[in-house]
Amino acid sequence: MIPLMWYLIVAAMLFCIGVFGVLARRNAVAILMSVELMLNAVNINLVAFWRYLQPDKMVGQAFAAFVFVVAAAEAAVGLALIISVYRNRNTVDADNIDLLKW
Amino acid sequence: MTILQAVFILISLITLGGGLFTVTAKNLFHAALGLILSLAGVACMFGLLEASFLAGAQVLIYIGAIAILIIFAVMLTRGVMGAYPRTNDQWSYAIVVSLALLAVLIVTLFRFNWPPGAPAAVPADSIGLLGRSLVDPALYALPFEIASVLLVAALIGSIYVARDKR
């Protein structure tokens, strides 16, 4: 039997890897990939809580399904924005996309 | 250590290794492949947690759709980042912040009293139960409909944003 703690620790590690990627990568597409890692870490947590705390109610699984939906929407809009920025400014470096910065 | 625990450790090593490769790889295409490895590990973890529907949905949606979308974006913006370093100049702070966050999370997890022992059995028809609760007006019918509206809005919006305006 796998303790609940193991799942939570792996999810925490995956989330922190994603945090590092979001903070440190230059390429906007790589930042988006790191966000996906963080969303997956949250999903592991939700499903582990469902399995270990309330397996008779479907709250955790339903929430994980909604996270899927939001992740798909986020990926579609984010990549559209990146492609639009690339077309207009010819870069996907997050350091150079500073039009709104003063 | 039982066989199940060994399988879990192997899967989590694959997941975390894929994740680390994703955030550190120099070649962005290799990073996308590492992301796919990590997503597959998460799907296996859903299988271990007996969430069979979510394991299938993870493979279909994340690996089948989102990862492919990301690879498309990598290829459409290819060759622009070659001369640059792959991390910005705040990467050392980023390591400190993420390790500090990990320490806080793990300390918090250990301070809480999780119920010990094996969990209760999953209901036999868990997929049917999930499907019914998603369309039950007393449970998640409204979030379910809002999620579909969100998907349509995101699709239309991304088509409009990515459209060639000339």
Side-chain angles (χ1 to χ4, degrees), chain B residues 12-38:
Chain B
S12 40
L13 283 182
I14 291 176
T15 308
L16 295 176
L20 267 181
F21 188 69
T22 305
V23 296
T24 52
K26 206 165 187 106
N27 186 330
L28 208 55
F29 187 76
H30 294 168
L33 295 182
L35 179 70
I36 289 180
L37 190 67
S38 184

Side-chain angles (χ1 to χ4, degrees), chain B residues 134-146:
Chain B
L134 279 181
V135 290
D136 188 349
L139 292 171
Y140 315 115
L142 183 66
F144 185 67
E145 298 300 330
I146 293 176

Side-chain angles (χ1 to χ4, degrees), chain A residues 6-94:
Chain A
W6 291 18
Y7 285 103
L8 300 182
I9 289 176
V10 169
M13 286 174 170
L14 195 62
F15 190 85
C16 293
I17 292 173
V19 168
F20 170 75
V22 167
L23 291 177
R25 292 299 292 241
R26 294 177 74 108
N27 192 311
V29 182
I31 292 176
L32 215 60
M33 287 195 242
S34 311
V35 173
E36 300 295 342
L37 283 182
M38 290 160 76
L39 288 169
N40 267 281
V42 172
N43 264 352
I44 294 177
N45 261 359
L46 288 173
V47 179
F49 284 141
W50 163 76
R51 180 70 190 88
Y52 282 79
L53 301 183
Q54 286 196 318
D56 50 337
K57 295 189 185 118
M58 285 295 155
V59 190
Q61 282 213 37
F63 260 91
F66 291 131
V67 171
F68 277 8
V69 172
V70 175
E74 172 255 324
V77 174
L79 294 174
L81 284 173
I82 290 170
I83 288 173
S84 178
V85 165
Y86 174 69
R87 193 177 278 146
N88 287 320
R89 297 178 66 94
N90 211 20
T91 178
V92 287
D93 184 353

